[in-house]
């Protein structure tokens, strides 16, 4: 039958079926990412709806064989940035975060060792709360990076594609974001008594250095 | 390589994102450095902690459905756009409907797939399905009735000085559909009478207006049911004299078509 409307309906139906099959399974991943980015259940709900609508409309632009989840996350991340960062000038948003100085050695070796060793269930649960807080406290751009890299486990290349920046920038900004999270995590672990407080490595005063040397070695 | 340099790369190392040469450098250093081994262990632990701490959120229970409805709307709109481009087409329920009704009330009605009848393009069509859309919107919004009549004649009375045509509510055989209320509601640029019915606890809306619907391209034969699916609703239309009756409701297509067919309409 050559009826054009029937043909159109058939195509629409096929497109819808393919979309349901390929994109819908990523709904949970999108929602988790949206919750962590927006920090709000209602905004996340909204954002995911917007994402799926856009994805469906532009479904023909998806390149078969590439990562559907990364494609959806790209749509969602950009929708999020557009929505919530519209007021803030892009430049100030990026530069201010990169400009923050970070110490390279914020953690004591004891803390690193304690957290690297197997943790029991209770401690893991306590730290889970600290990690959520730490993420919520991050500046927007860094939070997005952690969500894409550590939560959604996209490759640096995919993240660079999502954010439209070079891979090298992803690497250095991600490093920064993780440092900030890790600092928060270790502080929290010390508060909880999971790791012992100890002076951190790095620049210390000469007296402290001498005292430590004299005392320990 | 110094430990501070490793610190800067340990994240990318754990992510497997270093170039092969840097990878080797880091590995060589780590093999010989206890401090940096712990560092790698910590980085891995951090990654898994982040992952397990931030996942495990439940989807809002109706989110999936809402998205599905949004996609339905996209499908409907894109079909409308195609139809607009291709002039106008009317979906006519197949003749089987008349036959089945003729068999009597008990006969189970089954409707062959809608037949697509291409009609000549109407002289002027401003927008594709304004009336269909409007009726579906009105029904979905569940706006309150202006009157809650005891008898259909009260409805005719109510509309007498409000619209330019006599409103005769559709009457259905038996007690299947009960008239529960009526509301004056504009459809497009014209005034129309919206009639609310209760069909086995579900809402059905019938909108009565005069003249022909622009989207149908011309008068439909009396007694014939023309329907279209709009936003998840089936919308049958029937003409009786100068009056057009547009039906929709929270019942399945079969029931709605049967109601539209069996309704006693007109003056």
């Amino acid at each position: 039958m050559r009826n054009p409307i029937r043909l159109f309906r058939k195509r629409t139906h096929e497109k819808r079926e393919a979309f349901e099959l390929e994109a819908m399974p990523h709904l949970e991943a999108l929602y988790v990412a949206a919750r962590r980015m927006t920090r709000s259940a209602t905004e996340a709900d909204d954002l995911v709806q917007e994402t799926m609508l856009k994805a469906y409309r532009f479904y023909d632009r998806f390149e078969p064989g590439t990562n559907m989840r990364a494609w959806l996350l790209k749509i969602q991340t950009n929708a999020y940035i557009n929505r919530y960062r519209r007021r803030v000038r892009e430049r100030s948003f990026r530069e201010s975060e990169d400009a923050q100085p970070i110490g390279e050695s914020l953690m004591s070796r004891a803390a690193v060792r304690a957290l690297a060793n197997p943790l029991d269930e209770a401690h893991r649960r306590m730290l889970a709360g600290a990690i959520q807080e730490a993420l919520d406290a991050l500046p927007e751009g860094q939070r997005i990076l952690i969500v894409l890299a550590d939560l959604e486990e996209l490759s640096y290349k995919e993240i660079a594609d999502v954010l439209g920046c070079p891979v090298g920038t992803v690497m250095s900004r991600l490093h920064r974001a993780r440092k900030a999270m890790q600092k928060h995590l270790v502080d929290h672990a010390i508060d909880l008594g999971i790791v012992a407080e100890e002076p951190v490595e790095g620049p210390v005063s000469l007296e402290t250095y001498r005292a430590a040397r004299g005392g320990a070695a | 390589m110094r430990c501070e340099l490793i610190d800067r790369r340990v994240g990318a190392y754990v992510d497997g994102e270093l170039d092969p040469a840097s990878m080797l450098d880091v590995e060589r250093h780590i093999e010989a450095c206890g401090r940096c081994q712990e560092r790698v262990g910590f980085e891995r632990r951090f990654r898994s902690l982040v992952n397990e701490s931030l996942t495990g959120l439940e989807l809002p229970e109706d989110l999936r459905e809402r998205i599905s409805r949004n996609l339905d709307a996209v499908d409907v709109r894109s079909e409308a756009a195609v139809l607009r481009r291709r002039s106008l087409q009317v979906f006519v329920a197949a003749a089987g409907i008349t036959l089945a009704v003729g068999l009597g009330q008990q006969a189970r009605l089954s409707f062959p797939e809608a037949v697509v009848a291409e009609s000549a393009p109407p002289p002027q069509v401003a927008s594709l399905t304004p009336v269909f859309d409007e009726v579906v919107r009105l029904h979905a919004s569940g706006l309150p009735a202006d009157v809650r009549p005891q008898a259909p004649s009260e409805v005719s009375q109510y509309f007498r000085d409000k619209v330019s045509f006599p409103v005769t509510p559709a009457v259905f055989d038996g007690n299947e559909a009960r008239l529960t209320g009526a509301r004056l509601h504009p459809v497009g640029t014209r005034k129309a009478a919206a009639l609310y019915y209760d069909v086995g606890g579900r809402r059905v809306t019938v909108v009565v207006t005069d003249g022909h619907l622009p989207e149908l391209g011309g008068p439909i034969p009396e007694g014939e049911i023309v329907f279209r699916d709009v936003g998840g609703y089936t919308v049958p239309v029937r003409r009786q004299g100068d009056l057009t009756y547009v039906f929709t409701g929270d019942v399945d297509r079969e029931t709605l078509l049967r109601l539209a067919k069996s309704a006693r309409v007109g003056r």
Side-chain angles (χ1 to χ4, degrees):
Chain A
M1 200 170 295
R2 278 179 57 245
N3 188 300
I5 293 307
R6 194 165 274 196
L7 189 68
F8 177 80
R9 287 196 159 172
K10 184 167 171 283
R11 281 211 203 105
T12 305
H13 184 71
E14 282 166 1
K15 174 188 165 187
R16 177 70 178 267
E17 268 196 336
F19 187 78
E20 303 256 351
L21 208 69
E22 280 194 86
M24 289 302 249
H26 300 295
L27 205 56
E28 267 148 46
L30 288 179
Y31 181 70
V32 170
R35 273 288 292 275
R36 297 313 180 191
M37 280 182 192
T38 64
R39 296 174 290 185
S40 143
T42 23
E43 281 178 21
D45 190 297
D46 240 42
L47 182 62
V48 171
Q49 285 196 64
E50 184 186 339
T51 303
M52 291 308 263
L53 259 178
K54 283 192 170 146
Y56 189 52
R57 274 201 205 111
F58 299 118
Y59 188 37
D60 52 348
R61 295 195 199 163
F62 173 71
E63 273 177 56
T66 60
N67 184 347
M68 170 56 84
R69 203 163 48 89
W71 186 70
L72 292 170
L73 282 165
K74 179 176 184 173
I75 294 173
Q76 177 160 295
T77 304
N78 286 315
Y80 172 64
I81 292 172
N82 284 339
R83 260 172 184 229
Y84 303 109
R85 302 301 302 179
R86 209 166 277 154
R87 294 153 291 168
V88 183
R89 254 181 263 123
E90 184 84 346
R91 209 149 35 93
S92 68
F93 154 60
R94 294 215 163 123
E95 279 178 3
S96 65
E97 285 174 26
D98 285 345
Q100 288 164 15
I102 52 155
E104 274 307 323
S105 305
L106 291 164
M107 290 165 293
S108 71
R109 188 166 174 188
V112 167
R113 188 181 298 147
L115 290 172
N117 284 328
L119 294 165
D120 61 44
E121 198 40 47
H123 283 160
R124 289 180 92 95
R125 243 178 288 128
M126 284 192 262
L127 290 176
I131 284 186
Q132 284 179 26
E133 275 172 31
L135 184 75
D136 288 353
L138 284 185
E140 215 96 54
Q142 294 193 351
R143 204 166 60 240
I144 290 174
L145 270 173
I146 296 285
V147 168
L148 296 178
D150 291 340
L151 190 58
E152 299 296 341
E153 297 179 323
L154 295 190
S155 71
Y156 289 8
K157 198 164 165 291
E158 286 166 335
I159 298 173
D161 180 52
V162 168
L163 299 175
C165 67
V167 172
T169 311
V170 170
M171 199 181 297
S172 59
R173 276 169 45 194
L174 185 59
H175 174 67
R176 222 166 253 282
R178 281 173 176 162
K179 278 275 166 197
M181 291 263 299
Q182 288 168 358
K183 164 110 173 63
H184 189 103
L185 179 68
V186 168
D187 288 350
H188 201 84
I190 290 170
D191 288 346
L192 290 171
I194 296 172
V195 306
E197 188 157 19
E198 216 183 65
V200 296
E201 300 171 45
V204 286
S205 73
L206 192 59
E207 280 158 87
T208 319
Y209 177 71
R210 279 187 185 137
R213 256 192 102 135
Chain B
M1 193 180 276
R2 286 166 48 221
C3 292
E4 294 90 276
L5 280 177
I6 300 296
D7 283 350
R8 220 167 288 189
R9 294 178 188 195
V10 71
Y13 171 74
V14 166
D15 289 335
E17 295 272 3
L18 285 180
D19 60 89
S22 310
M23 202 75 155
L24 270 179
D25 286 347
V26 173
E27 260 166 21
R28 210 169 294 144
H29 174 99
I30 288 170
E31 265 172 42
C33 175
R35 175 199 172 276
C36 288
Q37 277 166 24
E38 286 166 4
R39 197 70 220 200
V40 169
F42 170 79
E43 204 70 27
R44 292 220 161 92
R45 167 61 41 76
F46 173 74
R47 219 64 102 251
S48 69
L49 273 176
V50 167
N51 212 283
E52 68 187 36
S53 310
L54 300 178
T55 48
L57 291 169
E58 298 240 326
L59 275 186
E61 72 183 293
D62 57 342
L63 180 60
R64 216 173 273 277
E65 283 165 38
R66 275 180 287 130
I67 287 172
S68 225
R69 280 203 297 274
N70 293 344
L71 301 188
D72 286 344
V74 172
D75 287 344
V76 167
R77 273 199 299 273
S78 58
E79 182 173 312
V82 167
L83 285 172
R84 198 154 28 226
R85 280 199 296 277
R86 300 196 48 80
S87 86
L88 199 78
Q89 328 241 345
V90 179
F91 301 88
V92 183
I97 184 170
T98 317
L99 191 78
V101 170
L103 292 174
Q105 292 248 306
Q106 279 93 326
R108 254 192 78 79
L109 297 179
S110 65
F111 297 97
E113 202 185 339
V115 175
V116 180
E118 295 202 17
S119 60
Q124 266 187 333
V125 182
S127 121
L128 183 71
T129 57
V131 178
F132 285 88
D133 295 349
E134 198 109 17
V135 169
V136 165
R137 260 202 303 280
L138 167 66
H139 174 79
S141 67
L143 286 170
D146 300 333
V147 280
R148 296 181 184 285
Q150 298 300 313
S153 59
E154 285 176 41
V155 169
S156 308
Q157 187 71 37
Y158 171 75
F159 285 110
R160 188 152 299 160
D161 54 351
K162 295 185 179 64
V163 294
S164 57
F165 53 92
V167 175
T168 328
V171 180
F172 300 90
D173 289 334
N175 291 322
E176 188 174 18
R178 193 168 51 83
L179 184 64
T180 59
R183 174 185 176 85
L184 179 69
H185 195 85
V187 169
T189 53
R190 47 184 143 181
K191 287 180 172 173
L195 309 172
Y196 295 157
Y197 292 85
D198 177 290
V199 177
R202 293 169 187 271
R203 294 193 304 118
V204 166
T205 300
V206 180
V207 171
V208 188
T209 181
D210 66 336
H212 311 305
L213 305 191
E215 51 248 69
L216 293 179
I220 50 174
E222 254 182 40
E224 187 140 19
I225 308 289
V226 169
F227 74 92
R228 167 165 275 146
D229 291 325
V230 177
Y233 289 95
T234 296
V235 188
V237 180
R238 189 172 156 183
R239 179 177 72 90
Q240 193 68 40
D242 295 336
L243 300 185
T244 300
Y245 290 75
V246 187
F247 300 73
T248 197
D250 304 335
V251 293
D252 59 27
R253 172 183 288 176
E254 211 171 285
T255 308
L256 209 51
L257 289 176
R258 183 161 45 77
L259 284 171
K261 185 70 194 172
S262 69
R264 286 200 303 274
V265 295
R267 297 161 196 203

